[in-house]
Each structure stands twice: as C-alpha cells, then as structure tokens.
Amino acid sequence: QVQLVESGGGLVQPGGSLRLSCAASGFTFSMYAMYWYRQAPGKERELVAYISTGGTITNYADSVKGRFTISRDNAKNTVYLQMNSLKPEDTAVYYCHAWRSTADYWGQGTQVTVSS
C-alpha cells in the first residue's frame, strides 16, 4: 500500500530548529516530485517547498526562503525539511506530497508549534 509518513514535528521556541522527515513506501519514490505544504488553523493550505525528482531543483515560498531547506534521499525513499530560525507564524500542520502526472499522494501531517 502507498504510504507517506511524516515525523519530526513538535514544540520549539522561536529561533529554534526542527527537521521534518517524510518516509515513502508503496510507489517508485524517485519518479515523483516532492512537496511540503503547511496549513495553520483557519488558513488555506500553503505550498512551502518543492524538490524535483533528482533533487537538482528546489523552490520555496517567500515566507520561508533562506530559513528552510528541502532535500531528498532517493535511496532511503525519504524527503526532509530542515527548518531553522523558526517563527511563531510557522506554526502549522506540515504535510508531504508526492506528485507525478499520473498519480499523487499525501501524508497524514505532523504538527509544528513555535511558541515561547
């Protein structure tokens, strides 16, 4: 069965760091572009970061550029989101998303709370 399982969320103080992981199974991970999205209560889902199938191209939302880094390890079927200099406005449920032209899949989400 297809699975995307996020982990690494939690409570962190402003200025702190977290690394999110998303472990994929049940499909050919290396053929899928990967994305991180987030959704805060009462707000629309927001695209945070993108990485191409081979990891050669990345893009970020302006709100996180310079602070977050997306990466992937195709040998481990895992995509990561390194989050530094966290701000309270980064508080949200973070979701990973796998996409190709013929199919796409979503993880269950992991909560990130940035608060003092």
Side-chain angles (χ1 to χ4, degrees):
Q1 69 279 14
V2 170
Q3 281 193 299
L4 290 171
V5 181
E6 300 98 331
S7 62
L11 175 64
V12 65
Q13 292 185 335
S17 298
L18 286 173
R19 189 181 76 158
L20 306 184
S21 299
C22 175
S25 60
F27 64 99
T28 306
F29 178 79
S30 62
M31 297 180 67
Y32 286 74
M34 297 298 298
Y35 303 78
W36 285 98
Y37 287 82
R38 67 186 182 188
Q39 188 164 25
K43 295 186 177 180
E44 294 183 351
R45 184 181 61 189
E46 175 188 21
L47 176 61
V48 175
Y50 155 84
I51 188 165
S52 61
T53 55
T56 58
I57 303 170
T58 58
N59 285 289
Y60 301 91
D62 288 343
S63 58
V64 308
K65 190 173 183 179
R67 300 187 297 120
F68 290 11
T69 303
I70 189 171
S71 61
R72 67 190 295 161
D73 187 338
N74 285 346
K76 296 181 178 179
N77 290 346
T78 302
V79 63
Y80 305 93
L81 186 68
Q82 178 67 47
M83 306 186 296
N84 299 326
S85 301
L86 283 161
K87 304 174 180 179
E89 52 262 46
D90 296 318
T91 296
V93 177
Y94 284 71
Y95 300 90
C96 67
H97 178 229
W99 181 89
R100 64 179 304 206
S101 61
T102 56
D104 68 288
Y105 309 104
W106 290 88
Q108 84 289 351
T110 186
Q111 177 71 51
V112 172
T113 303
V114 185
S115 177
S116 60

